[in-house]
Amino acid sequence: MKTTEEQYDLVIIGGGATGAGTALDATLRGFKCLLLEKNDFAEGTSSRSTKLVHGGVRYLEAAVKKFDKSQFDLVREGLKERYRILHNAPHLAHAMTLVTPLYKWYEIPYIYIGLALYDLISGKRRLGKSRIVSKNEIMKIFPSVKKEGLAGGVRYFDGAFNDSRMAIALLQSAKKKGCVVRNYHEVLSFEHEAGKIKAVRVQDKINESQYLVRADCVINATGVFCDDIRRMDDPSVSPIVEASSGIHILVDKKFLPNEEGLMIPKTEDGRVLFMLPYLDKCLVGTTDEEAKAVDHPEVKEKDIEYLLRHMRKYFSIDIQKSDILSAWSGLRPLVTLKHTADTKELVREHYIEESKSGLITIAGGKWTSYRKMAEDVMDVVQKTRREKDFKKCQTKDFKLFGSETPLKITQEKIASMALETSVKEHLIQAYGTRALDVADFIKIYGAEKLHPAYPYLRAEVYYAVAHEFVETPLDFLVRRCNLGLIDTVATQTSLEVVTGILKEVFAWSDAKYVKKLHEAKQILDNSI
C-alpha cells in the first residue's frame, strides 16, 4: 500500500460512457475527481455499440399507441442529446441517412407518419427530412435488396459516431480540466466509518500494488457489473440490472456499397436489424438475448448464423461465414428493478440509487443519453452534499477534446503533409484538431503503416501511449484505432509490431513482452 492516502471529493468507478461523462461533468462543476476502471476505458459495452446516436423511434411508437407522455418526453430528450453529441464532437459524430425497405404497402404511410413526427419533435435540431422512397429508388441505392414483394420504403436521419474514441475524448477533456483518470485500477473493497463509505481500496493491476483512496462520495457507473459493486457495499442488496447480449459482424463494403444505412424494423422474432457503413466496412447487428456479465463475452455461432440468415433473407447476396472480417459481442445493462413495485424510473431507461452507506449507483441508459445521465447523477450528488459551493452542469455546449476549435486550419495543415489521402482522412476523423499533435509524432517516428490495407500508423501507437492512456496492445488496436473491430486477421498481423513498440516505450522484459502478446492473442481468438 502507498505510504500516503489520496483524498478526493468524488471517486467514480467505471470508465465507460457513463463514467467518462460523469467524470467530465463533475470536474467542470469543481469537484476534485478520480475515475477508476478495472480494465481499459470503454473496453466493454461502450466500444461495442451499434455506433448510432438516436432519439429512440421505438419509444415514439409506444408514446403514440399508449398516449404515454413520459415516452414522448424520452424521445424529445434523446433528440436533444443526439444534437449535443453531434455538435460537441463533430469529428467523431455525424448525421447518417437510413433506409427501411418495406414489403407491405400499408406499412409505408404508417412508418412515414411516425418518422415525420420524429422530425417534428426534433425541431431545429432536425438532421434532415424523412421521406417515402419508391421501389425503384431503393433498388438503385441497394441493388442487392430482395426485390420480390418490395413495395417501397422510407428514408430518415439519425446520428452515427465512433463510440470508443468518444469515450477517450471525454476522458481527455476531463483530464485536461483536472480529473485524475486511471485504467487497470480495480476497486477491491470499501472502508466504512459510522456506516458510511469513507475510503476505497484499489488494486493497481499494472504495478501490482494496492493503495487507499479517501472520498466524500463514490459513484458506481460500472454498467453490467454495477450489482457486483453494490454487493461489495452491502451483500444483501437485490440486483437492479440484467445483461443483454448483442453481437455485430463486419463484412466487406461491397455488401453495402454506399454511405447510407439499412434498418429492418422487425425480423422474424421482432428484433431490429441494422446494416451500416462503419470505417469503410459494413457493420451488421444486432441480436439481443439474456447473458451473463463477463469481461470478454464470446460470440456465439447461433448468433452469427442468425445475422447471416437475415442478410440472405433481405438481400440477394451469397454471404458466407468466410466473408466475416470481425465479430464481437457487447453486453447492455438493462434495468429490471424486480425488487420494487415502483417502476416509473424505468421510463427514463436509467436509474439512480443511493445506498444507506452513501454509494450512488447509476444504471442502464445508452450512449446517446450519457451526458444527461451524468447530469442527473451529479445533480443527486450536489443535492445531498451542500457543504461546498459547486457549479451547475456545464456540459450541454462543452466542446470535447479534438473539437475545441474549428477544423479548417487543421485540415489545411494535414492536407499539406506528404501522406496518403486515406491517412489524412483518418487523422482528421479520429483526432479532430488534435491531428496536429499526432503529426508531431509522425515527424519523429515516420509514416509507416501498421498494415498496408489500412491508414493506421506506427507513430500513432507512440502518441496513444503518451496521450490516450494505452497500456496493452489491444488498447490501441481495438479501442484507439479500431482495427480490431473491423478486421481480425489484419489485427493479428499488426499485433507483434504494436506489442514491440509498447515493449520499447515501457521497457518491458522479454518475458513480459511474451506474456502481453499471448494475452492479446487469446482475446483475439475468442472475441474482440
Side-chain angles (χ1 to χ4, degrees), residues 245-247 249 268-269 271 286-291 298-310 312 321 324 327 329:
S245 171
I247 81 150
I249 59 175
E268 62 192 26
D269 55 358
R271 304 180 193 180
T286 179
T287 62
D288 281 306
E289 62 178 351
E290 288 186 11
E298 294 186 9
V299 178
K300 298 177 181 178
E301 289 292 330
K302 65 183 182 73
D303 289 333
I304 288 179
E305 184 51 44
Y306 176 94
L307 293 179
L308 293 178
R309 184 171 71 252
H310 280 81
R312 298 183 194 114
K321 187 177 178 181
I324 297 175
S329 176

Short mmCIF file of all heavy atoms in Angstrom, two decimals, residues 245-247 249 268-269 271 286-291 298-310 312 321 324 327 329:
data_model
loop_
_atom_site.label_atom_id
_atom_site.label_comp_id
_atom_site.label_asym_id
_atom_site.label_seq_id
_atom_site.Cartn_x
_atom_site.Cartn_y
_atom_site.Cartn_z
N SER A 245 -27.10 -9.54 -24.37
CA SER A 245 -26.01 -9.68 -25.32
C SER A 245 -26.43 -9.22 -26.71
O SER A 245 -27.53 -9.56 -27.18
CB SER A 245 -25.56 -11.14 -25.38
OG SER A 245 -24.64 -11.35 -26.43
N GLY A 246 -25.56 -8.47 -27.36
CA GLY A 246 -25.80 -8.07 -28.74
C GLY A 246 -24.54 -8.29 -29.55
O GLY A 246 -23.47 -7.88 -29.12
N ILE A 247 -24.63 -8.97 -30.68
CA ILE A 247 -23.42 -9.19 -31.47
C ILE A 247 -23.47 -8.39 -32.76
O ILE A 247 -24.54 -8.02 -33.25
CB ILE A 247 -23.16 -10.68 -31.78
CG1 ILE A 247 -24.02 -11.14 -32.97
CG2 ILE A 247 -23.37 -11.56 -30.59
CD1 ILE A 247 -23.36 -12.24 -33.77
N ILE A 249 -21.30 -8.20 -36.67
CA ILE A 249 -20.28 -8.72 -37.56
C ILE A 249 -19.89 -7.63 -38.55
O ILE A 249 -20.69 -6.74 -38.86
CB ILE A 249 -20.75 -9.98 -38.33
CG1 ILE A 249 -22.00 -9.68 -39.18
CG2 ILE A 249 -21.01 -11.13 -37.37
CD1 ILE A 249 -22.44 -10.84 -40.06
N GLU A 268 -37.89 -11.88 -38.00
CA GLU A 268 -38.84 -12.97 -37.74
C GLU A 268 -39.25 -13.10 -36.29
O GLU A 268 -40.34 -13.57 -35.96
CB GLU A 268 -38.22 -14.29 -38.21
CG GLU A 268 -36.93 -14.65 -37.47
CD GLU A 268 -36.17 -15.78 -38.12
OE1 GLU A 268 -36.31 -15.98 -39.32
OE2 GLU A 268 -35.42 -16.45 -37.40
N ASP A 269 -38.36 -12.65 -35.38
CA ASP A 269 -38.69 -12.73 -33.95
C ASP A 269 -38.80 -11.35 -33.31
O ASP A 269 -38.66 -11.20 -32.10
CB ASP A 269 -37.65 -13.58 -33.20
CG ASP A 269 -36.23 -13.09 -33.41
OD1 ASP A 269 -36.05 -12.10 -34.17
OD2 ASP A 269 -35.31 -13.68 -32.82
N ARG A 271 -36.92 -8.58 -33.61
CA ARG A 271 -35.73 -7.78 -33.34
C ARG A 271 -35.48 -6.77 -34.45
O ARG A 271 -36.02 -6.87 -35.56
CB ARG A 271 -34.50 -8.69 -33.19
CG ARG A 271 -34.65 -9.77 -32.14
CD ARG A 271 -33.41 -10.63 -32.06
NE ARG A 271 -33.64 -11.85 -31.29
CZ ARG A 271 -32.72 -12.78 -31.07
NH1 ARG A 271 -31.50 -12.63 -31.55
NH2 ARG A 271 -33.01 -13.85 -30.37
N THR A 286 -28.16 -5.90 -34.61
CA THR A 286 -27.61 -6.64 -33.52
C THR A 286 -28.68 -7.59 -33.02
O THR A 286 -29.86 -7.37 -33.27
CB THR A 286 -27.14 -5.71 -32.40
OG1 THR A 286 -26.61 -6.41 -31.30
CG2 THR A 286 -28.27 -4.84 -31.93
N THR A 287 -28.29 -8.65 -32.35
CA THR A 287 -29.26 -9.52 -31.70
C THR A 287 -29.22 -9.27 -30.21
O THR A 287 -28.20 -8.85 -29.67
CB THR A 287 -28.94 -11.00 -31.96
OG1 THR A 287 -27.65 -11.31 -31.41
CG2 THR A 287 -28.91 -11.30 -33.44
N ASP A 288 -30.33 -9.51 -29.53
CA ASP A 288 -30.41 -9.29 -28.09
C ASP A 288 -30.99 -10.50 -27.39
O ASP A 288 -32.04 -10.99 -27.77
CB ASP A 288 -31.30 -8.07 -27.77
CG ASP A 288 -30.56 -6.77 -27.98
OD1 ASP A 288 -29.48 -6.61 -27.40
OD2 ASP A 288 -31.06 -5.92 -28.73
N GLU A 289 -30.26 -10.97 -26.39
CA GLU A 289 -30.77 -12.05 -25.57
C GLU A 289 -30.09 -11.99 -24.21
O GLU A 289 -29.05 -11.34 -24.04
CB GLU A 289 -30.52 -13.41 -26.23
CG GLU A 289 -29.06 -13.75 -26.45
CD GLU A 289 -28.88 -15.12 -27.07
OE1 GLU A 289 -29.87 -15.86 -27.18
OE2 GLU A 289 -27.75 -15.44 -27.43
N GLU A 290 -30.66 -12.68 -23.24
CA GLU A 290 -30.10 -12.67 -21.89
C GLU A 290 -28.69 -13.23 -21.90
O GLU A 290 -28.36 -14.14 -22.65
CB GLU A 290 -30.98 -13.49 -20.94
CG GLU A 290 -32.30 -12.83 -20.61
CD GLU A 290 -33.08 -13.59 -19.55
OE1 GLU A 290 -32.49 -14.52 -18.94
OE2 GLU A 290 -34.24 -13.26 -19.34
N ALA A 291 -27.83 -12.66 -21.04
CA ALA A 291 -26.43 -13.11 -21.00
C ALA A 291 -25.88 -12.90 -19.60
O ALA A 291 -26.47 -12.19 -18.78
CB ALA A 291 -25.61 -12.32 -22.02
N GLU A 298 -18.05 -13.96 -25.41
CA GLU A 298 -17.73 -14.67 -26.64
C GLU A 298 -18.88 -14.55 -27.64
O GLU A 298 -20.04 -14.42 -27.27
CB GLU A 298 -17.44 -16.13 -26.36
CG GLU A 298 -16.17 -16.36 -25.53
CD GLU A 298 -15.84 -17.84 -25.40
OE1 GLU A 298 -16.49 -18.66 -26.07
OE2 GLU A 298 -14.92 -18.15 -24.63
N VAL A 299 -18.51 -14.59 -28.91
CA VAL A 299 -19.50 -14.57 -29.98
C VAL A 299 -20.01 -15.99 -30.21
O VAL A 299 -19.21 -16.91 -30.43
CB VAL A 299 -18.88 -14.02 -31.27
CG1 VAL A 299 -19.90 -14.04 -32.40
CG2 VAL A 299 -18.38 -12.59 -31.05
N LYS A 300 -21.31 -16.16 -30.15
CA LYS A 300 -21.90 -17.50 -30.31
C LYS A 300 -22.20 -17.78 -31.78
O LYS A 300 -22.63 -16.90 -32.53
CB LYS A 300 -23.18 -17.60 -29.49
CG LYS A 300 -22.96 -17.44 -27.98
CD LYS A 300 -24.28 -17.49 -27.23
CE LYS A 300 -24.08 -17.29 -25.74
NZ LYS A 300 -25.37 -17.29 -25.00
N GLU A 301 -21.98 -19.03 -32.16
CA GLU A 301 -22.21 -19.45 -33.54
C GLU A 301 -23.65 -19.21 -33.97
O GLU A 301 -23.92 -18.78 -35.09
CB GLU A 301 -21.86 -20.93 -33.71
CG GLU A 301 -20.37 -21.23 -33.63
CD GLU A 301 -19.60 -20.68 -34.81
OE1 GLU A 301 -20.19 -20.57 -35.90
OE2 GLU A 301 -18.42 -20.32 -34.63
N LYS A 302 -24.60 -19.46 -33.06
CA LYS A 302 -26.01 -19.31 -33.43
C LYS A 302 -26.37 -17.85 -33.71
O LYS A 302 -27.25 -17.57 -34.54
CB LYS A 302 -26.91 -19.88 -32.35
CG LYS A 302 -26.88 -19.18 -31.01
CD LYS A 302 -27.80 -19.91 -30.02
CE LYS A 302 -27.84 -19.20 -28.67
NZ LYS A 302 -28.62 -17.96 -28.73
N ASP A 303 -25.68 -16.92 -33.04
CA ASP A 303 -25.94 -15.51 -33.29
C ASP A 303 -25.37 -15.06 -34.64
O ASP A 303 -25.97 -14.25 -35.36
CB ASP A 303 -25.36 -14.65 -32.16
CG ASP A 303 -26.13 -14.80 -30.86
OD1 ASP A 303 -27.34 -15.10 -30.94
OD2 ASP A 303 -25.54 -14.61 -29.79
N ILE A 304 -24.19 -15.58 -34.97
CA ILE A 304 -23.61 -15.29 -36.28
C ILE A 304 -24.52 -15.82 -37.38
O ILE A 304 -24.80 -15.14 -38.36
CB ILE A 304 -22.19 -15.89 -36.39
CG1 ILE A 304 -21.22 -15.09 -35.52
CG2 ILE A 304 -21.72 -15.90 -37.84
CD1 ILE A 304 -19.80 -15.60 -35.55
N GLU A 305 -24.99 -17.05 -37.22
CA GLU A 305 -25.87 -17.65 -38.22
C GLU A 305 -27.17 -16.88 -38.33
O GLU A 305 -27.75 -16.74 -39.42
CB GLU A 305 -26.13 -19.12 -37.88
CG GLU A 305 -26.96 -19.86 -38.92
CD GLU A 305 -26.45 -19.70 -40.34
OE1 GLU A 305 -25.23 -19.80 -40.56
OE2 GLU A 305 -27.29 -19.45 -41.24
N TYR A 306 -27.66 -16.35 -37.20
CA TYR A 306 -28.88 -15.52 -37.21
C TYR A 306 -28.70 -14.31 -38.12
O TYR A 306 -29.56 -14.01 -38.96
CB TYR A 306 -29.19 -15.07 -35.78
CG TYR A 306 -30.38 -14.14 -35.65
CD1 TYR A 306 -31.64 -14.64 -35.37
CD2 TYR A 306 -30.23 -12.76 -35.78
CE1 TYR A 306 -32.74 -13.80 -35.23
CE2 TYR A 306 -31.31 -11.91 -35.64
CZ TYR A 306 -32.56 -12.43 -35.37
OH TYR A 306 -33.64 -11.59 -35.25
N LEU A 307 -27.58 -13.61 -37.97
CA LEU A 307 -27.33 -12.43 -38.79
C LEU A 307 -27.13 -12.80 -40.26
O LEU A 307 -27.67 -12.13 -41.16
CB LEU A 307 -26.10 -11.68 -38.27
CG LEU A 307 -26.25 -11.03 -36.88
CD1 LEU A 307 -24.96 -10.35 -36.47
CD2 LEU A 307 -27.41 -10.02 -36.88
N LEU A 308 -26.38 -13.85 -40.53
CA LEU A 308 -26.17 -14.27 -41.91
C LEU A 308 -27.48 -14.69 -42.57
O LEU A 308 -27.74 -14.37 -43.73
CB LEU A 308 -25.16 -15.42 -41.96
CG LEU A 308 -23.72 -15.09 -41.55
CD1 LEU A 308 -22.86 -16.34 -41.61
CD2 LEU A 308 -23.13 -13.99 -42.44
N ARG A 309 -28.30 -15.40 -41.81
CA ARG A 309 -29.58 -15.87 -42.35
C ARG A 309 -30.47 -14.69 -42.73
O ARG A 309 -31.14 -14.70 -43.78
CB ARG A 309 -30.29 -16.75 -41.32
CG ARG A 309 -31.59 -17.36 -41.85
CD ARG A 309 -32.16 -18.39 -40.90
NE ARG A 309 -32.71 -17.81 -39.68
CZ ARG A 309 -32.15 -17.90 -38.49
NH1 ARG A 309 -30.99 -18.53 -38.34
NH2 ARG A 309 -32.73 -17.35 -37.44
N HIS A 310 -30.46 -13.64 -41.91
CA HIS A 310 -31.30 -12.49 -42.22
C HIS A 310 -30.73 -11.63 -43.33
O HIS A 310 -31.48 -11.00 -44.08
CB HIS A 310 -31.55 -11.67 -40.95
CG HIS A 310 -32.60 -12.24 -40.07
ND1 HIS A 310 -32.36 -13.28 -39.20
CD2 HIS A 310 -33.94 -11.98 -39.97
CE1 HIS A 310 -33.47 -13.59 -38.57
NE2 HIS A 310 -34.44 -12.83 -39.03
N ARG A 312 -29.26 -12.95 -45.89
CA ARG A 312 -29.69 -13.71 -47.07
C ARG A 312 -31.19 -13.53 -47.33
O ARG A 312 -31.64 -13.54 -48.48
CB ARG A 312 -29.37 -15.19 -46.89
CG ARG A 312 -27.89 -15.51 -46.74
CD ARG A 312 -27.66 -17.02 -46.64
NE ARG A 312 -26.32 -17.32 -46.16
CZ ARG A 312 -26.05 -17.90 -45.00
NH1 ARG A 312 -27.04 -18.25 -44.19
NH2 ARG A 312 -24.80 -18.14 -44.64
N LYS A 321 -19.97 -17.46 -43.91
CA LYS A 321 -19.22 -17.17 -42.69
C LYS A 321 -17.80 -16.72 -43.02
O LYS A 321 -17.22 -15.88 -42.31
CB LYS A 321 -19.19 -18.40 -41.78
CG LYS A 321 -18.56 -18.12 -40.42
CD LYS A 321 -18.62 -19.35 -39.52
CE LYS A 321 -17.93 -19.04 -38.19
NZ LYS A 321 -17.95 -20.23 -37.29
N ILE A 324 -16.94 -12.94 -43.13
CA ILE A 324 -16.88 -12.13 -41.91
C ILE A 324 -15.45 -11.74 -41.60
O ILE A 324 -14.57 -12.59 -41.47
CB ILE A 324 -17.50 -12.90 -40.72
CG1 ILE A 324 -18.98 -13.19 -40.99
CG2 ILE A 324 -17.33 -12.11 -39.43
CD1 ILE A 324 -19.63 -14.04 -39.93
N ALA A 327 -15.99 -10.22 -35.67
CA ALA A 327 -17.25 -10.40 -34.95
C ALA A 327 -16.99 -10.12 -33.48
O ALA A 327 -15.97 -10.50 -32.94
CB ALA A 327 -17.77 -11.82 -35.13
N SER A 329 -19.04 -9.22 -29.46
CA SER A 329 -20.25 -9.20 -28.65
C SER A 329 -20.15 -8.13 -27.58
O SER A 329 -19.09 -7.92 -26.99
CB SER A 329 -20.44 -10.57 -27.98
OG SER A 329 -21.56 -10.55 -27.11
#
